[in-house]
Amino acid sequence: MPTSSLPRPGWRQRLSTLPRDARDTLFLLTVIAWVLAPQAAHTPWWTTAFTAGILLWRGWLAWSGRPLPGRWMLAAMLLAAMAATWSSHGSFVGRDAGVTMVVLLLALKTLELRARRDAMVIFFLGFFALLANFMHSQSLPLALAMVLGLLGLLTALVNAHMTVGRPPLAQSLRTAALLTLWGTPVMVALFLFFPRMAPLWGVPGNDLAGRSGLSESMTVGSMASLALDEGIALRLRFEPPLAAPPASMMYFRGPVLSQFDGRQWQADPSAMLEDAQLRVAGEPVRYQMTLEPSRRPWLTLLDAAPQAPQLPEGMGRARMTPQLQWLTPRPITDVLRTEAQSYTDFRHGPLQPTPALRRYTDLPQGSNPRTLALARQMRADPALADAPARAWVEAALQRLRDGGYTYTLEPGVVDGPHTADVFWFDSKQGFCEHIASAFAVLMRGMGVPARIVTGFQGGDRNPVDGYWTVRNADAHAWTEVWLQGEGWVRIDPTGAVAPGRVGQFQRLAVPRGAVAAAVDGFVGQGRLQQLRAVWEAMNNGWNQWVLNYTQSRQLDLLRNLGVEAPSWVDLMRLLGACAGIAALLWLGWMAWAQRGRDEWLRLMDATRLRLRRLGLPTDASLPPRALALRLRAHFAQDELQATQIQALCDWLLRMERQRYAPPGEHGDLRALRRQWKALRWPRPLRTPSDRHP
């Protein structure tokens, strides 16, 4: 049969015939790709392309058995990588630039994987890159993925030390898993008792821009379709004796916006000079809140919180603005757990008119003329002409209820500065930002001070762990109007258009695609909701017990153990005690393992150790007779120690008879041990340089 007609071997058969170094290289490249994959979301796009190209190229070289590139090519690629890093980050120092360089160097190092020392460098960079993933996220899925990456790197490391033959990767994996299992108690002890410190990284960003979460400004009509973000913004658990407040009162306060240019609402810096004048009534609602990283210093507490919430040690003290928004000393870059109490029955702001309230009636010159005309028309109505401002607010809300306005996530793009006119007279549809903005413009046109408040409204209770979950999709905008004798009063005009949006937590959903609909039909929507609740409860447990294990919770643990005034010194003492107990347990286990071993083998191991100290090379596979022959050959020229040599060789031969002679003819092992202790061991041979210095 011609050679060309022979079937080509499959990839599995081809993989089984590869040399060991090629097989081990392919496995190591797979592990590196797994470890570096999460960095694709945080490094420049060219870094991912460059790294993927190098790993694929190195895999092809190992598969085809081709030589590695030369040093000049590696040097050119390194210079190109450094230049691109400088171009993207403007520096080689810092978190982002440093992680980019680690990723690139790890990929480039695989192109000179020739010896074991090169593999050791790759392992070191791989472990560092694995840890670098947690600089951006400490989520449960990432942690589980990195556990697999750790097992992969340990497997490759163990396999690199098995230099003889072609050991199966499964054997190395078992060893790596045992090492991980043995190290778990040490890891748990370090986690519990090693003094906690503040994170060394955390750079402000704008990761939530363009999503349905909160922003520091609100542009009306800038998005034709609002894609709901189901990501979790915060979780909270209410403490007894009061349960969760009514649905209509669950407002979580964020930035307050009062400057308006016709399309965009922004915060007014001069408003920071005002006085909050917060007045609360009733019983407070106490709760524990866990906020996801927002990279902004906003504590979106339940409205309204008169007292500063408890922040973790080292975070500093939160402060409240005159608009009742709570801010942290620095942006929230990690999961933050806090305890607070709020009053759902509150008033704030001055009770009588002040000059500072005039800015809340300002409108851009020439914008929204039809809305201003509507405001004049409503004020000229005999039923409202002499009525208080509260009646004007109710009239505007009634217009929203009866005027054919609808709540939708696809209101279309609004061009120009007359966004309120478009909502009131043309489209008559929108979501919370359109409705709140148009309502605030109408109120200002009627002379009523008004502003926009952004935050979250509503949430849903997880039946698995009892925590309330507030998502980015729950981001909301409402208005506050100032009424004489009452101060600033919350008015949510969205509730007039869509009562279910506020009162019953009803949300509009994005139309589901074909794949999502198929999954729902196969699994069932109810089952998917149950799985989602379980997964979110697991994530919440991870946040509560792992990510939020702060120094204060460490000290609380010591108090529970009986330490009256715990400090970091007590933590170090307890950690040292755990280390001592672990060492004693290890020594006890080693002693137990030795007792369970064959005494003859233990005596031979001790003999081989003494022979190695004499300069005699030994091997565990050599029997006693072979050791005796090697001993005679090694000391053949040393007549001064012939007696000691002969006695040691005779003892080795007796050891052989004791092991292999028929029953009844071998000697007593205890007697052989006594003879071993009585032996006069020869001195090591001296080299000519030792004899003639």
Side-chain angles (χ1 to χ4, degrees):
M1 180 182 294
T3 305
S4 59
S5 62
L6 293 176
R8 293 185 177 182
W11 67 270
R12 292 185 179 180
Q13 183 179 358
R14 170 63 176 155
L15 183 62
S16 63
T17 58
L18 286 177
R20 179 187 170 182
D21 58 343
R23 184 204 65 169
D24 294 349
T25 299
L26 291 175
F27 176 75
L28 181 58
L29 292 175
T30 303
V31 174
I32 291 174
W34 178 266
V35 171
L36 295 183
Q39 292 293 346
H42 308 289
T43 54
W45 66 268
W46 61 265
T47 305
T48 304
F50 186 84
T51 303
I54 289 180
L55 295 181
L56 290 174
W57 183 25
R58 183 63 180 89
W60 177 74
L61 293 178
W63 183 268
S64 59
R66 297 178 181 272
L68 298 179
R71 296 188 180 274
W72 287 106
M73 180 176 291
L74 288 176
M77 297 174 69
L78 176 61
L79 291 177
M82 295 177 65
T85 302
W86 182 272
S87 176
S88 297
H89 301 287
S91 172
F92 295 120
V93 181
R95 184 193 66 177
D96 295 338
V99 171
T100 299
M101 284 302 301
V102 167
V103 172
L104 296 175
L105 291 176
L106 177 56
L108 288 172
K109 187 62 182 177
T110 61
L111 293 177
E112 56 175 8
L113 180 57
R114 294 182 173 88
R116 185 188 295 184
R117 65 175 181 271
D118 299 321
M120 295 301 110
V121 175
I122 291 178
F123 295 145
F124 173 78
L125 290 175
F127 287 120
F128 191 87
L130 186 147
L131 291 176
N133 288 316
F134 293 101
M135 293 183 178
H136 301 284
S137 173
Q138 299 88 37
S139 64
L140 179 58
L142 178 65
L144 295 176
M146 290 304 101
V147 168
L148 294 179
L150 175 64
L151 284 176
L153 287 173
L154 288 177
T155 301
L157 180 61
V158 171
N159 193 68
H161 285 82
M162 302 175 71
T163 57
V164 180
R166 187 185 172 93
L169 290 175
Q171 179 181 353
S172 301
L173 177 60
R174 285 194 296 270
T175 304
L178 286 176
L179 290 174
T180 304
L181 184 62
W182 291 340
T184 299
V186 178
M187 177 192 68
V188 172
L190 289 174
F191 174 79
L192 290 177
F193 303 120
F194 193 84
R196 312 291 288 183
M197 295 176 291
L200 303 179
W201 51 80
V203 180
N206 194 30
D207 291 350
L208 297 184
R211 298 165 61 182
S212 60
L214 295 185
S215 178
E216 55 191 4
S217 63
M218 189 182 79
T219 302
V220 182
S222 60
M223 292 177 286
S225 176
L226 177 60
L228 291 180
D229 178 10
E230 290 296 320
I232 295 176
L234 59 95
R235 297 180 176 92
L236 70 159
R237 182 180 63 185
F238 295 97
E239 298 180 356
L242 297 181
S248 59
M249 304 301 294
M250 293 188 68
Y251 285 83
F252 301 88
R253 197 178 191 89
V256 180
L257 315 174
S258 56
Q259 282 188 343
F260 183 57
D261 61 3
R263 284 182 57 89
Q264 187 178 65
W265 290 86
Q266 291 182 326
D268 185 1
S270 61
M272 300 299 292
L273 303 177
E274 299 176 1
D275 187 7
Q277 301 184 35
L278 176 60
R279 302 171 294 276
V280 298
E283 292 293 327
V285 178
R286 295 177 175 85
Y287 53 93
Q288 297 177 354
M289 177 181 288
T290 305
L291 292 96
E292 295 293 324
S294 62
R295 303 193 182 278
R296 295 185 175 94
W298 302 338
L299 276 176
T300 49
L301 300 182
L302 187 66
D303 228 358
Q307 299 177 357
Q310 298 180 8
L311 296 182
E313 294 288 339
M315 188 72 179
R317 182 178 175 84
R319 63 182 180 89
M320 185 179 69
T321 68
Q323 292 76 37
L324 306 187
Q325 182 188 7
W326 283 96
L327 303 175
T328 57
R330 61 173 181 265
I332 301 174
T333 56
D334 298 296
V335 175
L336 176 65
R337 184 175 182 269
T338 182
E339 296 181 2
Q341 60 180 17
S342 301
Y343 292 80
T344 56
D345 185 4
F346 68 96
R347 292 289 185 271
H348 68 292
L351 299 178
Q352 300 300 324
T354 63
L357 291 174
R358 296 175 183 173
R359 71 169 66 97
Y360 297 103
T361 59
D362 293 340
L363 289 172
Q365 187 70 27
S367 70
N368 299 294
R370 289 185 289 173
T371 302
L372 296 182
L374 174 63
R376 291 191 295 269
Q377 177 185 347
M378 293 178 66
R379 289 202 59 174
D381 188 342
L384 300 175
D386 298 327
R390 168 69 74 171
W392 303 347
V393 172
E394 292 299 329
L397 293 176
Q398 191 62 38
R399 183 181 182 89
L400 288 174
R401 298 186 188 100
D402 303 336
Y405 297 93
T406 57
Y407 179 65
T408 177
L409 295 179
E410 298 181 351
V413 177
V414 180
D415 296 326
H418 308 309
T419 55
D421 285 355
V422 172
F423 174 79
W424 284 114
F425 302 101
D426 298 331
S427 67
K428 292 190 175 184
Q429 61 180 2
F431 44 90
C432 58
E433 71 175 25
H434 298 82
I435 304 172
S437 176
F439 185 85
V441 171
L442 180 61
M443 287 295 99
R444 289 191 175 191
M446 300 178 71
V448 179
R451 62 191 184 188
I452 300 293
V453 184
T454 61
F456 299 98
Q457 199 280 321
D460 56 274
R461 184 179 181 275
N462 191 319
V464 178
D465 58 6
Y467 275 78
W468 284 81
T469 303
V470 179
R471 308 179 187 278
N472 290 325
D474 296 320
H476 192 51
W478 61 93
T479 61
E480 282 185 340
V481 299
W482 183 85
L483 302 177
Q484 187 171 354
E486 299 184 55
W488 289 105
V489 179
R490 179 199 301 139
I491 303 295
D492 192 347
T494 303
V497 177
R501 167 60 178 88
V502 176
Q504 302 174 10
F505 298 162
Q506 295 177 1
R507 303 292 185 264
L508 292 181
V510 176
R512 304 180 66 81
V515 176
V519 173
D520 289 348
F522 181 75
V523 180
Q525 184 69 22
R527 181 63 58 85
L528 286 178
Q529 292 295 335
Q530 293 176 2
L531 293 176
R532 179 183 182 181
V534 171
W535 174 249
E536 290 183 351
M538 293 173 57
N539 268 292
N540 184 48
W542 171 263
N543 292 339
Q544 299 295 329
W545 298 103
V546 178
L547 300 186
N548 278 292
Y549 187 69
T550 59
Q551 186 182 58
S552 60
R553 300 188 72 178
Q554 272 188 323
L555 299 180
D556 290 340
L557 176 61
L558 291 185
R559 292 188 185 95
N560 295 333
L561 294 177
V563 182
E564 295 183 358
S567 64
W568 68 270
V569 177
D570 299 311
L571 287 172
M572 296 303 296
R573 290 173 179 171
L574 189 56
L575 187 61
C578 291
I581 293 174
L584 292 176
L585 291 176
W586 174 261
L587 291 176
W589 183 84
M590 291 293 294
W592 178 82
Q594 287 293 330
R595 289 190 62 184
R597 194 180 177 201
D598 191 334
E599 187 177 356
W600 187 90
L601 292 176
R602 285 190 287 156
L603 190 56
M604 285 302 303
D605 286 344
T607 304
R608 291 189 180 92
L609 179 60
R610 295 291 296 268
L611 293 178
R612 280 195 294 269
R613 293 175 181 174
L614 298 177
L616 182 68
T618 62
D619 190 273
S621 61
L622 292 177
R625 183 177 295 273
L627 286 176
L629 294 175
R630 183 168 292 190
L631 181 65
R632 291 181 187 278
H634 185 73
F635 289 96
Q637 306 299 326
D638 194 344
E639 299 178 358
L640 297 178
Q641 303 187 89
T643 303
Q644 292 91 328
I645 300 299
Q646 182 62 41
L648 182 55
C649 291
D650 293 342
W651 182 85
L652 287 171
L653 295 177
R654 287 194 295 272
M655 283 289 290
E656 183 184 57
R657 288 194 298 272
Q658 200 281 337
R659 190 68 168 179
Y660 302 109
E665 298 182 11
H666 54 73
D668 186 4
L669 188 59
R670 287 176 293 182
L672 289 174
R673 175 172 288 279
R674 290 193 297 269
Q675 295 171 9
W676 184 87
K677 293 180 179 180
L679 285 174
R680 295 180 58 191
W681 293 83
R683 295 184 301 274
L685 291 176
R686 293 185 299 171
T687 63
S689 59
D690 295 332
R691 293 193 296 265
H692 305 286

